[in-house]
């Protein structure tokens, strides 16, 4: 089994919310292939028993929590405020890794390609086929990347809280992240010409299907077709500059 060392220049930041079994699978599988990481975990459940169990299970990690739920974007701001390394590997609590991350190649991609904001290690096969086609192949440091085209989607594929590496200064340039929602943040970076690159073939697989956690800071997603259409129209008008809010 191939194992790699996490560079000293990287801090692993994890957002978590009460899903102890998924968090365990995430961290155990990550550590199986990637050694020596420093971890910071934000547990947003506010459940004192859950928070205590997280602290007991991961004594080598810094565990952050608070009296009220703050959602993923404010959790990211709180996590990243403690980072002292030049790179952040972000991960949520519902992923499973089946191989090591090519750390040096991911770092090299961020250094040699200023338009790459985020190097994702999610399995590229989990991306919709129509979006896979909207990417460009790049060879960096002996590894293959698929760099998403700016027109792949109006918002997606510039930044995402899926498992991936960013420069710490990216957060400083766009902070606070909590001023917008995840899709919006990606849209803002896309406006600045920033793109997401997938490190092929990807080693992280989503395991949180059907276990979604409601984010208290985000509006409920519409369920009916007319409401979905209205939401899509509002977002298009927002990115065209005709609305001050996307929803």
């Amino acid at each position: 089994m191939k194992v790699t060392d996490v560079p000293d220049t990287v801090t692993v930041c994890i957002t978590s919310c009460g899903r102890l079994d998924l968090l365990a699978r995430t961290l155990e599988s990550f550590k199986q292939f990637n050694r020596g990481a420093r971890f910071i975990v934000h547990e947003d459940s506010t459940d004192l028993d859950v928070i205590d169990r997280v602290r007991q299970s991961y004594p080598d990690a810094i565990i952050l929590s608070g009296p009220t739920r703050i959602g993923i974007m404010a959790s990211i701001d709180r996590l990243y405020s403690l980072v002292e390394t030049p790179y952040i590997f972000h991960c949520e609590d519902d992923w499973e890794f089946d191989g090591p991350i090519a750390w040096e190649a991911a770092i090299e991609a961020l250094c040699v390609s200023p338009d790459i904001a985020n190097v994702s290690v999610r399995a590229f096969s989990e991306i919709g086929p129509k979006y896979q086609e909207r990417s460009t192949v790049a060879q960096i440091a002996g590894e293959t990347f698929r760099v998403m085209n700016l027109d792949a989607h109006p918002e997606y594929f510039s930044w995402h809280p899926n498992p991936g590496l960013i420069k710490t200064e990216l957060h400083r340039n766009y902070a606070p992240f909590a001023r917008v929602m995840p899709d919006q943040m990606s849209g803002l970076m896309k406006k600045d010409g920033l793109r997401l690159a997938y490190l092929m073939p990807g080693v992280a697989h989503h395991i949180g299907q059907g276990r979604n956690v409601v984010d208290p800071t985000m509006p409920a997603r519409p369920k009916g077709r007319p409401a979905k259409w209205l939401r899509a129209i509002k977002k298009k008008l927002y990115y065209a500059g005709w609305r001050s809010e996307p929803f």
Side-chain angles (χ1 to χ4, degrees):
M1 181 180 68
K2 185 177 180 181
V3 180
T4 190
D5 292 319
V6 180
D8 292 339
T9 54
V10 176
T11 299
V12 179
C13 292
I14 298 178
T15 52
S16 177
C17 191
R19 302 182 293 184
L20 292 174
D21 59 327
L22 298 183
L23 177 63
R25 288 175 63 182
T26 299
L27 286 173
E28 287 169 8
S29 63
F30 179 89
K31 290 180 179 181
Q32 182 180 5
F33 298 101
N34 303 276
R35 298 176 300 204
R38 55 169 66 91
F39 294 92
I40 309 176
V41 179
H42 189 278
E43 175 52 53
D44 198 39
S45 68
T46 71
D47 184 317
L48 295 180
D49 179 60
V50 168
I51 294 167
D52 185 58
R53 290 171 65 184
V54 171
R55 289 201 171 104
Q56 290 182 20
S57 299
Y58 311 106
D60 59 334
I62 297 173
I63 309 299
L64 307 178
S65 62
T68 59
R69 291 196 58 206
I70 60 176
I72 187 172
M73 297 301 266
S75 295
I76 287 174
D77 286 329
R78 185 177 287 175
L79 282 166
Y80 293 5
S81 69
L82 298 184
V83 173
E84 297 179 350
T85 56
Y87 300 98
I88 294 168
F89 182 81
H90 183 88
C91 189
E92 300 154 302
D93 61 351
D94 57 352
W95 294 87
E96 189 163 42
F97 294 81
D98 63 6
I101 294 166
W103 294 102
E104 298 304 329
I107 290 172
E108 183 72 6
L110 293 176
C111 291
V112 303
S113 302
D115 62 329
I116 294 179
N118 190 0
V119 174
S120 175
V121 299
R122 181 177 189 175
F124 194 63
S125 60
E126 294 186 358
I127 308 305
K130 68 178 181 180
Y131 298 121
Q132 292 182 28
E133 297 173 0
R134 300 170 188 175
S135 64
T136 303
V137 176
Q139 298 291 331
I140 303 173
E143 298 287 342
T144 301
F145 293 78
R146 296 294 292 261
V147 184
M148 301 305 297
N149 300 337
L150 281 174
D151 60 356
H153 187 276
E155 298 169 292
Y156 304 156
F157 306 122
S158 285
W159 171 85
H160 201 282
N162 288 174
L165 189 73
I166 67 167
K167 289 183 177 180
T168 304
E169 67 180 4
L170 179 75
H171 176 254
R172 294 172 182 156
N173 291 340
Y174 286 89
F177 274 27
R179 63 193 167 96
V180 294
M181 287 167 279
D183 294 353
Q184 262 184 286
M185 180 55 67
S186 181
L188 292 175
M189 292 185 187
K190 187 178 290 286
K191 281 186 173 182
D192 292 336
L194 298 179
R195 302 191 287 168
L196 185 149
Y198 286 90
L199 179 53
M200 300 295 290
V203 296
H205 303 269
H206 188 227
I207 57 173
Q209 296 89 342
R211 298 279 302 277
N212 293 351
V213 176
V214 176
D215 190 316
T217 67
M218 296 185 190
R221 287 189 174 273
K223 296 182 179 180
R225 183 170 295 178
K228 290 181 179 179
W229 286 343
L230 179 60
R231 182 178 187 268
I233 292 171
K234 287 180 177 179
K235 290 176 76 172
K236 288 181 179 180
L237 291 174
Y238 168 78
Y239 286 112
W242 290 92
R243 286 177 57 86
S244 59
E245 296 293 335
F247 302 111

